Amino acid sequence: MSNTKTPQPNTPQDEVYLPSAEIIAQANVPNPEAARKEASDNLEAYWARRANELEWYKKWDTVLDDSNKPFYQWYVGGKTNIVLNALDRHVKTWRRNKLALIWEGEKGDVRTFSYHALNREVCKFANVLKSMGVSKGDRVTIYMPRIPETVIAMLATAKIGAVHSVVYGGFSVEALHGRIEDSESKVIITADGGNMNGKKIELKKIVDEALQRTAAPENVVVVKHLGSDVTMEAGRDYWYHELMNLPLTRNGLRCETEVMDAEDPLFILYTSGTTGKPKAILHTHGGYSVGIHATLKDVFDLKEEDRWWCTADPGWITGHSYIVYAPLIAGATSFMYEGAPTFPYPDRWWTMIEKYGITVFYSTPTAIRGLMRFGPSWPNRHDLSSLRLLGSVGEPINPEAWRWFHKNIGKEKCPIMDTWWQTETGMFMLSPMPVMKLKPGSATKPLPGIEADVVNEEGISVADGEEGFLVLKNPWPAMMRTIFKDPERYVSTYWTKFPNMYFVGDSARRDKDGYFWIIGRVDDVIKVSGYRLGTAEIESAFVSHQSVAEAAVIGLPHELKGVAIHAYVILKSGHEGNEQLVEDLRKHIAHELGPIAKPEKIEFVKVLPKTRSGKIMRRVLKARAQGMSEGDISTLEE
Ligand code: WTA
């Protein structure tokens, strides 16, 4: 069954793809416009209906409390725990025997967990955490490779009402140190290391180095995954497998799930913003559960029989919402892979889609562009006919990559769900649903209950086709509640530029069909290969090198990564800018922040363009680098 398509290459906005009769016949949401109308007629009734699809210890008294804007509260008075819906309710039914998780390591090792088995591991580890004195509200840092214990650790933390802070395993010493310190974590959960692209990433060593820079948390739990040598500090570091086998936990195969208020914190997740200090986005148990559940079901049309694969890392919001929590809430079978898409050959992903019979596949534009380079012969040698839906997230997808994905992976029968959302939004915000008409490169329309707009500097809606700031005009259940320890920054970053509107930080256009086209960030956030990095965080890592006096970084378009980092560096006197120093600096940034932050290009300069108040004008650097007009530079000092 193939899609009807009308490609008109010169006018991408009019190139449309329609779903097949088969897709329409099975859609969870047969009429998106009716769903949108239901939500806009009565927002609270809509979100009450969606919340009623889940189990609660006690139902809410108020769906939405907006008496203290922008500190919105959802399902006030409700009692729940995300684990009640992700595990507890399934193990009471036939689903206890269903696979919750299929995992494959980069070396080809396979592990599977039924809902029953996953629940057992989660209960045991929850008891381990309790025995270490972790209780409701305490923070736990999770710094792990992509292995099942990451999922177990997150669920166990949530189960006892503690708050997890997952730090992406690709981050390095300084990024980890800052996040451990700010979260004041009681325990760190890590592993000896992980496999990535044939290399060993030695996470425990990075933890040890990060802990030398900070007041140590009480305990470090280490999963033995690689079996490599690590230093274990007596009284602080413990092996996961030893703790899990203590008589205490063997007897504790059961663990009561902590009953939480809907508004109690579930996790914090650090993300880059406009200052050097990453902000800890805080999400809660109740609204977050409802939001991610409703959106996964509607957008990816999830069915009992599906095998879902989201290629993200659990350390990012995509992994939190759509690898760990929402698929489990749906009672689905999720697949998770440890390593790189091109290891050992560029068909590793396609091999696994075939082997496991994946039905819904959710990935990123960078990965698609990267695999596209190797040509269609790699996917063509595999049977990908199990696939019925595809997805994309993290950055705008260029129409060329969209078409390649649609043709060579989806064989022109799988609609692509281009989901636009953020760490802060917790759930998909703009996205097609399978029955909708698609346009390559557009995230289409706001989902039911979401009101998005494109506005000018004054906050007034711009005309169709004009570029402006993307804003959100009403609250949604999975929205962030605050920035941990910094509520003022929550208000000033998101709710101050335009009164009563959530400021997204992206620019966008809307076409005559009401379809949104995301253009890119308008703030100091750089999306390298879809990974979110702050200019200030990278600049401060530069300055921590002994040769650097000052640095400015910008993002410039890059064929593969979408955006790449370019750095302008002023050296301290006595240092010479040469090839060797460029290499040293790139290594230094990778060591401090992680390999993803490695700049594409480093240029040594004598001065940086600044405003009179001393703020670096990255806009001017960007314009110069791209050979464009520098715009209004009358406020420039130099
Ligand atoms: C960008 C990732 C275009 C956007 C879930 C947003 C996208 C930022 C898309 C959030 C998309 C995400 N099309 N751009 N489908 N999805 N973005 O917090 O700039 O890592 O503001 O969350 O990614 O990045 P974050």
Side-chain angles (χ1 to χ4, degrees):
M1 201 136 321
S2 76
N3 292 18
T4 333
K5 63 173 181 178
T6 347
Q8 293 171 11
N10 297 327
T11 50
Q13 299 199 10
D14 297 322
E15 176 187 341
V16 301
Y17 292 74
L18 299 171
S20 64
E22 199 177 343
I23 291 286
I24 294 173
Q26 66 192 8
N28 286 349
V29 183
N31 188 344
E33 290 311 323
R36 271 187 262 277
K37 181 161 186 313
E38 179 199 347
S40 67
D41 285 351
N42 190 337
L43 189 72
E44 290 186 45
Y46 174 77
W47 285 117
R49 174 169 79 74
R50 302 315 302 259
N52 273 319
E53 294 170 13
L54 299 181
E55 216 170 275
W56 295 77
Y57 294 118
K58 176 183 169 287
K59 295 264 169 94
W60 54 93
D61 305 315
T62 312
V63 176
L64 170 63
D65 177 353
D66 60 1
S67 57
N68 185 24
K69 285 179 201 171
F71 296 95
Y72 294 92
Q73 297 203 313
W74 286 86
Y75 307 111
V76 183
K79 297 276 183 197
T80 187
N81 183 313
I82 198 161
V83 174
L84 166 69
N85 283 293
L87 291 174
D88 298 354
R89 67 171 176 154
H90 301 313
V91 297
K92 287 185 290 191
T93 71
W94 65 271
R95 276 203 204 91
R96 66 200 297 275
N97 294 323
K98 180 178 177 178
L99 287 185
L101 188 65
I102 305 172
W103 176 86
E104 185 169 308
E106 198 179 71
K107 294 192 163 141
D109 36 339
V110 179
R111 294 166 70 192
T112 56
F113 295 81
S114 65
Y115 274 88
H116 169 78
L118 184 62
N119 186 50
R120 274 285 151 92
E121 297 303 298
V122 169
C123 287
K124 264 163 63 177
F125 194 59
N127 285 327
V128 167
L129 290 175
K130 277 188 179 171
S131 73
M132 291 183 147
V134 178
S135 56
K136 189 171 170 175
D138 288 340
R139 270 82 58 207
V140 171
T141 292
I142 300 175
Y143 180 64
M144 295 277 263
R146 231 177 285 161
I147 55 176
E149 284 77 7
T150 312
V151 179
I152 294 166
M154 289 167 75
L155 289 162
T157 306
K159 186 176 175 80
I160 63 171
V163 177
H164 57 70
S165 164
V166 183
V167 179
Y168 170 54
F171 274 136
S172 196
V173 180
E174 184 50 32
L176 176 62
H177 156 238
R179 286 157 175 79
I180 293 173
E181 196 163 77
D182 187 74
S183 65
E184 301 167 65
S185 286
K186 218 167 180 171
V187 171
I188 300 183
I189 304 160
T190 189
D192 51 356
N195 298 296
M196 189 51 74
N197 217 2
K199 291 197 224 65
K200 289 182 172 170
I201 311 292
E202 305 204 69
L203 298 179
K204 176 64 164 60
K205 284 195 181 141
I206 298 171
V207 170
D208 291 339
E209 210 179 315
L211 291 187
Q212 280 166 13
R213 300 184 187 184
T214 186
E218 288 162 32
N219 292 120
V220 180
V221 179
V222 189
V223 175
K224 193 178 226 141
H225 177 54
L226 296 178
S228 56
D229 278 346
V230 296
T231 320
M232 298 292 278
E233 195 179 299
R236 186 195 75 181
D237 301 351
Y238 296 90
W239 287 109
Y240 176 91
H241 61 273
E242 288 179 1
L243 295 170
M244 290 290 267
N245 284 321
L246 286 178
L248 156 88
T249 39
R250 256 211 312 273
N251 296 333
L253 290 179
R254 287 174 195 282
C255 173
E256 286 300 316
T257 303
E258 187 79 27
V259 176
M260 307 295 282
D261 284 333
E263 282 292 308
D264 276 337
L266 165 62
F267 66 83
I268 53 176
L269 182 56
Y270 286 87
T271 190
S272 302
T274 44
T275 73
K277 201 167 157 264
K279 40 193 182 185
I281 306 300
L282 187 137
H283 284 285
T284 57
H285 278 266
Y288 179 77
S289 298
V290 176
I292 60 171
H293 152 75
T295 48
L296 183 66
K297 186 171 164 188
D298 293 2
V299 170
F300 284 105
D301 208 35
L302 230 55
K303 303 285 194 297
E304 199 71 74
E305 303 78 15
D306 274 315
R307 284 202 168 174
W308 160 257
W309 182 9
C310 164
T311 65
D313 190 283
W316 299 95
I317 191 68
T318 310
H320 280 59
S321 299
Y322 299 109
I323 294 178
V324 180
Y325 289 116
L328 291 174
I329 292 174
T333 298
S334 240
F335 174 68
M336 183 170 158
Y337 165 59
E338 177 186 24
T342 49
F343 188 84
Y345 299 108
D347 62 346
R348 180 63 183 267
W349 277 6
W350 321 133
T351 308
M352 295 185 296
I353 288 178
E354 181 176 27
K355 176 173 172 191
Y356 297 105
I358 302 299
T359 56
V360 188
F361 178 72
Y362 183 36
S363 193
T364 67
T366 290
I368 296 158
R369 285 192 295 264
L371 292 167
M372 194 171 134
R373 271 190 315 171
F374 298 99
S377 66
W378 292 97
N380 284 349
R381 67 182 68 162
H382 295 281
D383 174 8
L384 304 181
S385 61
S386 57
L387 291 171
R388 66 179 188 91
L389 282 173
L390 301 174
S392 170
V393 63
E395 39 175 332
I397 182 163
N398 46 312
E400 198 195 348
W402 195 102
R403 288 185 207 109
W404 189 87
F405 196 31
H406 187 256
K407 176 163 187 264
N408 296 291
I409 309 306
K411 312 295 178 195
E412 298 186 336
K413 71 174 175 85
C414 306
I416 300 175
M417 303 297 107
D418 179 358
T419 60
W420 176 89
W421 57 299
Q422 307 180 299
T423 306
E424 292 87 340
T425 70
M427 66 185 211
F428 308 146
M429 303 299 283
L430 305 178
S431 172
M433 289 182 256
V435 303
M436 285 167 62
K437 167 176 91 180
L438 302 177
K439 304 184 188 188
S442 169
T444 74
K445 290 185 173 188
L447 288 169
I450 307 304
E451 204 189 317
D453 198 1
V454 181
V455 301
N456 63 16
E457 272 292 345
E458 282 72 52
I460 297 163
S461 307
V462 300
D464 291 347
E466 263 178 47
E467 185 175 335
F469 300 102
L470 181 64
V471 292
L472 301 168
K473 290 183 158 171
N474 59 4
W476 61 98
M479 66 196 298
M480 70 185 290
R481 294 302 190 269
T482 188
I483 294 176
F484 177 63
K485 299 204 293 195
D486 202 350
E488 278 159 33
R489 193 172 170 197
Y490 167 66
V491 178
S492 66
T493 308
Y494 303 103
W495 299 97
T496 304
K497 186 165 169 80
F498 304 116
N500 288 320
M501 293 183 220
Y502 170 89
F503 176 70
V504 161
D506 283 359
S507 57
R509 272 181 293 116
R510 190 171 34 195
D511 69 19
K512 57 184 188 331
D513 287 344
Y515 275 42
F516 286 74
W517 299 74
I518 308 295
I519 298 162
R521 298 290 306 189
V522 289
D523 56 5
D524 294 325
V525 169
I526 307 183
K527 277 247 140 183
V528 183
S529 303
Y531 293 113
R532 184 164 163 178
L533 294 162
T535 49
E537 205 178 352
I538 308 167
E539 286 159 4
S540 89
F542 264 107
V543 176
S544 72
H545 189 272
Q546 26 110 15
S547 70
V548 177
E550 211 176 342
V553 307
I554 57 169
L556 290 179
H558 186 275
E559 211 183 318
L560 217 59
K561 300 177 181 174
V563 178
I565 298 170
H566 287 235
Y568 298 86
V569 172
I570 302 180
L571 293 174
K572 285 182 186 158
S573 61
H575 292 271
E576 196 200 328
N578 53 29
E579 282 294 304
Q580 183 57 46
L581 187 55
V582 168
E583 232 0 81
D584 288 353
L585 286 172
R586 294 184 81 234
K587 274 203 197 115
H588 173 73
I589 299 296
H591 180 260
E592 291 296 300
L593 294 180
I596 41 164
K598 256 190 194 176
E600 187 75 12
K601 203 171 156 208
I602 298 177
E603 211 177 298
F604 298 107
V605 294
K606 291 270 175 292
V607 290
L608 288 168
K610 283 186 186 164
T611 60
R612 283 192 193 102
S613 62
K615 206 171 167 272
I616 295 170
M617 294 191 83
R618 295 190 187 82
R619 178 169 61 80
V620 173
L621 288 171
K622 224 167 159 163
R624 260 184 215 162
Q626 295 180 287
M628 297 190 310
S629 138
E630 291 171 15
D632 177 17
I633 50 169
S634 56
T635 52
L636 266 193
E637 178 67 14
E638 325 193 60

